[in-house]
């Protein structure tokens, strides 16, 4: 979930990382330190 140029955890809604405009990402797994879950990131 992206809002205001930040990617948020879909489970706990905490900010994970900033996303620059025009960025395309697929196949990355990010670990949320707050809820301790892994999130697959696909930004197109």
């Amino acid at each position: 979930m992206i809002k205001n140029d930040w990617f948020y955890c879909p489970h706990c809604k905490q900010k994970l990382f900033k996303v620059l405009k025009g960025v395309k990402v697929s196949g990355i797994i990010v670990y949320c330190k707050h809820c301790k879950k892994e999130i697959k990131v696909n930004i197109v």
Side-chain angles (χ1 to χ4, degrees), residues 29-43:
I29 297 175
V30 178
Y31 180 75
C32 179
K33 293 178 185 176
H34 188 261
C35 69
K36 299 183 178 23
K37 295 188 180 184
E38 291 183 344
I39 299 105
K40 292 181 183 176
V41 178
N42 290 312
I43 303 171

Side-chain angles (χ1 to χ4, degrees), residues 13-28:
K13 310 298 187 236
Q14 294 292 316
K15 287 182 183 178
L16 294 179
F17 56 87
K18 192 153 181 134
V19 179
L20 298 174
K21 295 183 183 195
V23 170
K24 296 180 183 178
V25 177
S26 66
I28 292 182

Side-chain angles (χ1 to χ4, degrees), residues 3-4 6-9 12-17 32:
K3 185 168 62 172
N4 296 332
W6 282 92
F7 186 86
Y8 288 82
C9 176
C12 66
K13 310 298 187 236
Q14 294 292 316
K15 287 182 183 178
L16 294 179
F17 56 87
C32 179

